[in-house]
Amino acid sequence: MMFYIVEEFFSIQGEGKYAGVPSYFLRTGGCNLECQGFGTKYQVEGQEFLGCDTYFAVNSNFAKEWQRVENADILIEHLELEIKKIGYKPHFVLTGGEPLLYYKDKEFYKLITWLIEQCIKVTFETNATILIDFEKYPAYKEAIFALSIKLSNSGEPKEKRINKEAIKEIVTNAKESFFKFTISKDLINTTALEEIEEIRQIDPSKEVYCMPVGECRKSIWGNDKAVFEFCKQNNFRYSDRLHIRVFDKTKGV
């Protein structure tokens, strides 16, 4: 059993409900979506691709750069030292790619169980397409889930990007969860509200955060005002992307 880590770093959470909170990020490798509609252009060996802003954790062409974790105890020892350097226990964010691809993995679950036992707040940044067995893997009940469900602007077909059963299991069983959508000016002018409301009906009590599409400051500037007004009109919460505002990139921040 094993899982892949693309990168790890101590930073500030830039998105969603816990934006501004010091957090330690573990980014896993691999995803079940490509989200070409988000339009981030990148090249691999001279060939151009389109994808999300964390393409380096999604496209398997980058897998040779990922760290293979076959023994979670070694990673845990490393994290204990990192926490000691920091001087306190920050939030931990499992992101990707799609971290829940590994939710059944023995070593991955060992890591999550350890974090929970240390009374560390754990957030999963997930596309919410993976159906979790919360009874068999109860540690996930103690985690926070940022449900970054993909809308039509992702370019993925609806049947692939929305799993209502998986979403319902998370909002029913997790300690805490909220919806987070990445939207653009164009989507706001067409189907954004309709798409969000369809998902929101799974649990209308959950908070809705909307943030602008963009892998860099320039692209965010093209969407942020429209998203801001959209949130005002519909009583949603605006989420900026602080790490991109500050560093103008998505990797390692």
Side-chain angles (χ1 to χ4, degrees):
M1 304 293 281
M2 50 74 63
F3 62 98
Y4 287 104
I5 293 289
V6 176
E7 58 176 352
E8 59 171 297
F9 53 92
F10 178 48
S11 186
I12 296 286
Q13 172 62 275
E15 303 173 352
K17 183 174 183 177
Y18 290 96
V21 175
S23 301
Y24 199 96
F25 288 79
L26 293 172
R27 186 182 302 283
T28 62
C31 191
N32 56 343
L33 301 178
E34 295 180 358
C35 298
Q36 294 183 9
F38 287 148
T40 298
K41 295 180 181 179
Y42 63 97
Q43 289 191 346
V44 179
E45 296 179 353
Q47 184 177 356
E48 189 169 276
F49 292 86
L50 285 175
C52 71
D53 55 16
T54 54
Y55 59 86
F56 52 89
V58 173
N59 192 316
S60 60
N61 284 302
F62 293 92
K64 59 183 178 295
E65 301 172 15
W66 301 347
Q67 175 190 347
R68 186 181 177 103
V69 180
E70 297 179 323
N71 185 346
D73 291 331
I74 295 173
L75 177 58
I76 288 168
E77 288 178 11
H78 165 70
L79 294 175
E80 286 176 329
L81 292 175
E82 291 300 304
I83 292 170
K84 192 171 183 180
K85 289 178 190 175
I86 293 167
Y88 60 88
K89 294 176 180 178
H91 285 212
F92 266 68
V93 179
L94 279 296
T95 187
E98 175 47 59
L100 292 180
L101 288 176
Y102 303 107
Y103 96 89
K104 294 180 181 178
D105 183 271
K106 178 182 175 183
E107 300 306 313
F108 187 78
Y109 190 66
K110 185 189 294 185
L111 169 65
I112 302 306
T113 302
W114 175 77
L115 289 169
I116 297 298
E117 288 174 348
Q118 299 304 304
C119 298
I120 292 170
K121 280 194 174 183
V122 176
T123 296
F124 285 96
E125 298 276 355
T126 174
N127 60 32
T129 62
I130 309 295
L131 182 61
I132 301 172
D133 185 340
F134 281 91
E135 297 308 314
K136 188 172 182 180
Y137 301 94
Y140 295 111
K141 292 183 179 182
E142 302 303 317
I144 300 163
F145 287 78
L147 303 176
S148 300
I149 300 161
K150 301 303 179 276
L151 303 179
S152 60
N153 61 329
S154 68
E156 294 285 358
K158 185 176 180 180
E159 63 272 13
K160 188 176 179 182
R161 59 184 167 79
I162 297 179
N163 184 335
K164 291 187 177 181
E165 184 182 4
I167 297 168
K168 187 174 181 180
E169 282 297 305
I170 293 172
V171 300
T172 300
N173 290 285
K175 178 180 180 179
E176 185 181 333
S177 60
F178 56 90
F179 295 125
K180 188 179 69 166
F181 301 102
T182 304
I183 59 179
S184 62
K185 182 166 54 179
D186 290 342
L187 191 67
I188 288 170
N189 292 334
T190 53
T191 60
L193 184 58
E194 176 186 341
E195 293 185 48
I196 290 172
E197 288 296 349
E198 180 183 354
I199 295 166
R200 192 183 181 209
Q201 289 312 306
I202 297 170
D203 189 340
S205 70
K206 297 300 177 184
E207 297 170 330
V208 173
Y209 290 81
C210 297
M211 61 186 191
V213 170
E215 81 288 354
C216 63
R217 292 173 188 149
K218 184 178 179 181
S219 53
I220 286 180
W221 288 333
N223 294 290
D224 55 4
K225 290 183 177 63
V227 177
F228 197 92
E229 290 301 319
F230 179 74
C231 290
K232 284 170 58 180
Q233 292 166 8
N234 296 289
N235 194 24
F236 298 150
R237 287 156 174 76
Y238 177 83
S239 170
D240 208 60
R241 310 186 76 183
L242 301 178
H243 52 304
I244 298 177
R245 296 283 192 191
V246 175
F247 296 102
D248 199 25
K249 62 178 183 175
T250 59
K251 193 172 185 178
V253 295

